[in-house]
Amino acid sequence: MSKLQEAFDSRNKKENKIEQIKALKTPMSVYGRLDEICGGTLEELEDEDASYFLKCFGLFLKKDGKFMLRIRVPAGQLTPSQAAKLGEISLMYGEDYIDITTRQQLEFRYLKLEHLAIVLQELDSVGISTFQTGVDNFRNIVTSSFDGLGVKNIIECKPIVDELQSLFFKKEEWIGTLPRKFNTAILGANVNDCNIYGHDCCFIVASQNGEIGFNLYLGGRVGIQARDSGIFVKKEDVLETFKAIVELFKKFGFRDNRNNNRLHFLLEAVGMEAFVDAIKEYSGLAYETSGEILAKEEYMLDDSGVFALGENLNAYHFSIPSGVFKGSDLLKVAILANEIDSFIRLSVEQSLYIISESKNKEKILNSEIYEAYSAYQNIYFNHQIACAGTATCAFGVIPNKPDAIEMANFLAKEVPIKDGKVRMYWSACVKGCGIHGVADIGFEGCKAKDKDGNICFGVHILLGGKATKEAGEARILYKSIPLTDAKYIVKSIMKMYRDEKEPNESFELFYERKLEKLENLELIAKIEQYA
C-alpha cells in the first residue's frame, strides 16, 4: 500500500473547505437537533448545516427557501405500500411533485422547513430513509430494473445490495466522512439497463471457468467510464471486496481539490495494478482474472410498453417524460399494483415499471393511470433522461427538462418510428448529471448565439455513446447550437436512422454499423442533406 500512502501524502498537504467544515461537528449531532431546527426559521439555520450536514440526510435548501429531499430506494424497488406513502407525502407537503432520478430513487421538492421532521417520520414508518443521499456519502446502489426476474436474470442482486448497504448505512463512522461521493452498481441480469460502467465501483455479471460471478470495474464518473480491474469476484466475496475498496478510498482518497477527489483520481495517481494489490492485501482474498461478461443483450420497448420477462411475467413500462412525476399519480400506480398483487421498479432512465403476471395485462393497459402516460410510450420518450435544469438547479444553463420533452414531442410527430431504440440523454450543464456522454444522442446545455448574434439557450450535440455491450463516451458533433435549431439537426439524424436501419435495430448498433466509420465532416454533410 506504499504507493497509496505516497499519493495521499503528496495530495493532502492542504484540506479543502468542506473537510474543514466536517471537523466542526458530526452529521448525527445535527440530525439529533432536527426537531429544534424545524421549529426555527431559515435565518436561524447555521451555514454549515445548510451547506453540508443536512445534505448527508438528503435535505437540500434551494434558492426559493424550500427544500429538495432525496429519498433512498435501494435497487429501485418499491412495495405498493411504500409507493402509496411516497405519493401521499408529495401530495400533502411537496406540491404533488416528484422527480425520478438516474440512481433509481426519488426526489421531493418544495418542502417547507417546518415539515421536514414529520416527512422523515412518515417515510420511516414504511421503511424508507433519506440517509446518506447527498455530499460525501455512499449513494443509492443501483442494479437492473429486472433484477431477479424471469429469463433476464442470472444472479439476483438485491440481497447483495442489502449486504453492501449494511456495511455503511446509518453508521456514524461512515456518514459524511468519505473524501467524496461514492457510486456503486451491481448487475446480475443479461441486459445493461443501469449504466453499469458509469460508477465508482461496478460489479458486472461474468463467467470464469464455469463459475458465475462478477468482473470488477473501478473509477467511473461523469465523462469517464470505469475500467476493468482485471479481477473476477465470486458472489460470496462481493461484500469483503467492497469493504476493502471503500476502506482504502476512505483512508487514502484525496481531500484537497474537491473537483479531483473521486476514486478515479486515486486510481489515476497510483495505477490500477497497485490499487488491486491493495484490495488483495486488505481483503485477504485470492482472485481469478476477469471472466467473460454476460450482460451483452439489447432490450427494447415497443409502443405498448410491455416487456416480456418470461415465466409468465411482464414488466409494464410507464414512460415518465424527463422523470417529472406527480405524487397523486404515484399513488394511483400504488393502488393499481396493490389490487393485482404486484410491485414497482424504478428505472435509471427516470421511469418506472409495474412487475406483474401476464394475466393482468389488460387490466394494467386499460387502467386510467397507464392510459394517462400512453402518449409518451414511444421511441423518443422510452429511453429519455434529463437532469433538473435552471428551474431547480443553480448550475443549470438551460431549462433542460422542458427542452427534452419538447424535442421528443417534435420528433414523435415529425419522424415517427415504430421499431427500434434511441437513448436521448440531456444534461443542463457540463457537470453531466443527465449522463449525456453515454447517450446515443446526448445534449449538454450551453449558451449559444442565434442568427442575429443574440445570446440564447443552446446545446452541444453528441453522438455515439455506448452502454449496451461495452462502455463508450459519445463525441461532440455540433457545438453551441441554439435550442430552436437543435431539433432540426436531430430530426435529420432520426430520418437517417429510420430510413437506413435494419428492422428492430437500436441506434447504438446502427451507429456502429453505419455512422461510426464516417469522418465528422462526412457525417455532418450526410445529416445536413436530410434537413
Side-chain angles (χ1 to χ4, degrees):
M1 297 188 194
S2 59
K3 281 192 176 181
L4 278 71
Q5 187 65 58
E6 290 172 9
F8 178 85
D9 291 339
S10 68
R11 277 283 307 271
N12 289 280
K13 294 180 172 65
K14 184 179 180 180
E15 289 185 331
N16 63 58
K17 291 181 179 179
I18 295 298
E19 293 299 326
Q20 295 169 22
I21 288 174
K22 291 179 188 178
L24 298 175
K25 60 185 84 169
T26 67
M28 285 305 295
S29 70
V30 177
Y31 190 80
R33 295 190 295 107
L34 193 59
D35 285 340
E36 174 191 335
I37 291 170
C38 292
T41 65
L42 289 175
E43 290 72 25
E44 295 170 329
L45 187 61
E46 295 181 12
D47 289 345
E48 64 267 22
D49 292 349
S51 66
Y52 189 79
F53 294 108
L54 288 178
K55 292 178 182 179
C56 289
F57 309 103
L59 294 162
F60 293 75
L61 178 60
K62 310 305 285 187
K63 57 188 178 184
D64 62 359
K66 296 181 181 179
F67 285 80
M68 181 267 278
L69 179 62
R70 189 173 291 152
I71 298 155
R72 195 176 200 95
V73 185
Q77 299 185 15
L78 287 172
T79 65
S81 61
Q82 288 175 325
K85 177 61 72 174
L86 288 162
E88 290 167 359
I89 293 172
S90 171
L91 261 172
M92 184 169 294
Y93 302 107
E95 298 185 13
D96 200 24
Y97 185 97
I98 290 176
D99 275 327
I100 304 176
T101 81
T102 56
R103 297 211 67 78
Q104 292 181 302
Q105 57 190 13
L106 302 175
E107 291 176 353
F108 292 159
R109 296 189 183 273
Y110 314 118
L111 300 177
K112 296 179 180 179
L113 176 64
E114 60 263 33
H115 294 148
L116 298 183
I118 184 107
V119 165
L120 295 181
Q121 291 169 12
E122 288 289 301
L123 291 172
D124 187 62
S125 72
V126 290
I128 294 176
S129 176
T130 66
F131 267 59
Q132 295 150 284
T133 54
V135 289
D136 301 346
N137 284 290
F138 297 98
R139 305 300 180 85
N140 201 46
I141 301 175
V142 304
T143 187
S144 172
S145 297
F146 314 123
D147 178 56
L149 302 173
V151 297
K152 298 298 176 189
N153 186 66
I154 300 172
I155 297 177
E156 184 175 5
C157 292
K158 179 57 164 59
I160 303 175
V161 170
D162 292 340
E163 275 192 321
L164 299 183
Q165 186 167 284
S166 70
L167 177 68
F168 61 82
F169 185 55
K170 291 189 175 182
K171 295 189 175 179
E172 189 161 6
E173 65 270 25
W174 287 108
I175 300 174
T177 58
L178 294 177
R180 205 65 170 86
K181 71 176 180 179
F182 194 89
N183 289 338
T184 307
I186 180 166
L187 178 63
N190 64 12
V191 294
N192 175 18
D193 64 327
C194 63
N195 183 34
I196 188 60
Y197 298 97
H199 312 265
D200 295 277
C201 179
C202 321
F203 296 95
I204 307 168
V205 66
S207 174
Q208 175 62 283
N209 295 326
E211 183 171 9
I212 305 298
F214 301 94
N215 283 357
L216 175 65
Y217 278 60
L218 295 170
R221 66 183 184 91
V222 169
I224 301 290
Q225 298 302 297
R227 293 184 288 131
D228 189 355
S229 69
I231 62 176
F232 175 81
V233 183
K234 297 178 181 179
K235 181 180 175 181
E236 60 269 24
D237 291 338
V238 170
L239 180 60
E240 286 302 314
T241 302
F242 181 75
K243 183 178 180 180
I245 294 165
V246 299
E247 291 278 10
L248 291 168
F249 178 56
K250 183 178 180 181
K251 182 176 182 180
F252 296 108
F254 304 140
R255 296 177 183 267
D256 53 351
N257 182 350
R258 283 183 65 77
N259 291 327
N260 298 317
N261 285 2
R262 294 282 292 275
L263 178 65
H264 165 82
F265 296 100
L266 178 59
L267 295 175
E268 195 175 55
V270 305
M272 184 68 79
E273 184 178 352
F275 192 80
V276 169
D277 286 344
I279 293 173
K280 293 175 180 177
E281 182 180 342
Y282 193 95
S283 68
L285 296 171
Y287 298 97
E288 295 184 67
T289 57
S290 299
E292 177 190 0
I293 288 177
L294 302 179
K296 291 185 175 181
E297 292 192 16
E298 184 80 88
Y299 82 102
M300 295 186 186
L301 295 162
D302 62 24
D303 286 357
S304 75
V306 181
F307 185 64
L309 296 168
E311 301 176 1
N312 201 34
L313 196 64
N314 289 332
Y316 299 89
H317 182 240
F318 287 71
S319 190
I320 315 296
S322 293
V324 178
F325 204 37
K326 294 181 178 181
S328 52
D329 285 349
L330 182 57
L331 184 55
K332 291 174 184 176
V333 169
I335 291 170
L336 175 61
N338 186 61
E339 286 176 352
I340 56 177
D341 194 24
S342 302
F343 51 94
I344 298 158
R345 297 281 177 95
L346 303 178
S347 162
V348 299
E349 291 181 321
Q350 298 180 306
S351 288
L352 64 83
Y353 298 89
I354 284 182
I355 308 299
S356 189
E357 295 178 358
S358 302
K359 67 180 182 180
N360 295 317
K361 179 177 180 179
E362 295 305 316
K363 183 164 186 176
I364 295 173
L365 297 188
N366 293 327
S367 66
E368 177 189 350
I369 184 59
Y370 195 86
E371 289 183 348
Y373 287 89
S374 61
Y376 308 111
Q377 196 69 54
N378 61 58
I379 190 173
Y380 299 111
F381 282 107
N382 281 344
H383 302 280
Q384 182 192 72
I385 288 175
C387 69
T390 54
T392 55
C393 178
F395 298 106
V397 179
I398 63 173
N400 208 50
K401 284 182 181 290
D403 303 321
I405 294 169
E406 182 182 354
M407 172 85 74
N409 280 325
F410 172 80
L411 295 171
K413 180 181 178 181
E414 296 290 321
V415 195
I417 300 175
K418 287 293 183 183
D419 66 313
K421 173 183 177 182
V422 60
R423 296 175 298 108
M424 292 189 183
Y425 297 169
W426 291 68
S427 296
C429 74
V430 69
K431 286 182 174 291
C433 295
I435 57 175
H436 62 278
V438 295
D440 292 322
I441 305 176
F443 306 88
E444 179 188 311
C446 65
K447 290 297 175 66
K449 289 186 178 180
D450 64 20
K451 61 183 180 181
D452 298 319
N454 299 313
I455 301 297
C456 63
F457 291 137
V459 286
H460 304 312
I461 301 175
L462 299 85
L463 207 66
K466 294 182 174 67
T468 296
K469 298 181 181 180
E470 59 180 328
E473 289 288 318
R475 55 177 175 159
I476 295 179
L477 189 65
Y478 284 91
K479 286 189 175 182
S480 303
I481 303 299
L483 275 171
T484 51
D485 297 338
K487 61 185 179 182
Y488 296 105
I489 293 173
V490 181
K491 176 182 175 180
S492 297
I493 297 171
M494 295 315 299
K495 280 185 175 180
M496 187 191 310
Y497 173 57
R498 179 196 63 192
D499 296 343
E500 299 183 29
K501 73 178 182 65
E502 301 292 340
N504 292 307
E505 183 178 33
S506 70
F507 190 95
E508 186 172 324
L509 296 178
F510 172 75
Y511 180 83
E512 290 178 359
R513 182 174 65 84
K514 296 280 290 188
L515 302 183
E516 191 174 30
K517 300 172 185 177
L518 297 173
E519 294 295 329
N520 271 356
L521 291 178
E522 291 180 288
L523 178 54
I524 289 170
K526 189 172 179 64
I527 289 170
E528 287 178 340
Q529 78 179 12
Y530 278 82

